[in-house]
Amino acid sequence: MSRREFSLLLLLLLSALAVACEGGKPPETPRPEITLENIREDINGEWVEVPAEGGAAEPSSWRFDRSEPKEIEIVEKQLAGNKATFVIDMRTRTSPRAEQQGSKKKLAGRLRLHYELQSGFVLRKWEIVWVENISFAYQKE
């Protein structure tokens, strides 16, 4: 490569970099959406304190399991920056495995899910940081 070709190539490269820098910082990736299916998946593994319906028995800690059937309806949602809050109506029951062990429960009521947007090197993902019990209660079958 001649000196003239190298100079021309260098000039083109610097021009391209200058054009790329003119726009300022690159546009931020839009926030991912939180859908009903996301909520159904995200709630798995989360814990919440659950009282007995009518207060007849001691409250129980409940961990949502992937194998539980879940009926979920979004009642309210609020997005503010990197935080989101969803109020959901939810109905579920113990998983088939727990029912075989003789521990049958039905659960229903409202929960408030507190999300935060987690940013990694490439991906941005909403994660539940807290599940607040509004009126979610269990009933033994």
Side-chain angles (χ1 to χ4, degrees):
M1 179 185 297
S2 73
R3 189 174 192 166
R4 182 179 172 152
E5 290 171 329
F6 178 75
S7 296
L8 184 58
L9 185 61
L10 185 59
L11 182 61
L12 287 172
L13 178 64
L14 290 174
S15 296
L17 286 173
V19 169
C21 290
E22 281 179 13
K25 70 178 194 175
E28 193 171 299
T29 309
R31 290 185 300 208
E33 188 178 351
I34 301 174
T35 64
L36 193 56
E37 285 307 311
N38 294 128
I39 292 171
R40 190 179 318 290
E41 186 63 30
D42 295 344
I43 195 96
N44 293 321
E46 296 294 329
W47 291 88
V48 67
E49 278 292 313
V50 183
E53 192 172 71
E58 288 295 312
S60 175
S61 287
W62 186 264
R63 182 175 176 265
F64 294 98
D65 190 76
R66 187 173 310 283
S67 63
E68 292 169 19
K70 297 173 187 75
E71 294 177 40
I72 300 172
E73 179 185 339
I74 297 172
V75 176
E76 175 186 324
K77 70 178 178 178
Q78 297 176 340
L79 294 166
N82 289 341
K83 296 184 186 278
T85 305
F86 282 73
V87 175
I88 61 171
D89 268 335
M90 183 173 185
R91 284 177 299 288
T92 188
R93 62 179 170 78
T94 49
S95 67
R97 181 182 50 206
E99 288 179 1
Q100 290 172 353
Q101 297 170 353
S103 175
K104 290 176 131 183
K105 289 182 183 175
K106 283 177 141 177
L107 299 97
R110 284 197 175 173
L111 297 168
R112 183 174 288 119
L113 309 178
H114 298 268
Y115 276 89
E116 285 185 6
L117 187 58
Q118 306 295 320
S119 296
F121 182 67
V122 177
L123 296 175
R124 298 175 78 198
K125 182 179 183 326
W126 289 104
E127 291 185 17
I128 295 176
V129 293
W130 179 39
V131 177
E132 181 182 353
N133 188 342
I134 298 172
S135 64
F136 199 65
Y138 75 87
Q139 170 181 83
K140 288 187 178 184
E141 291 188 333

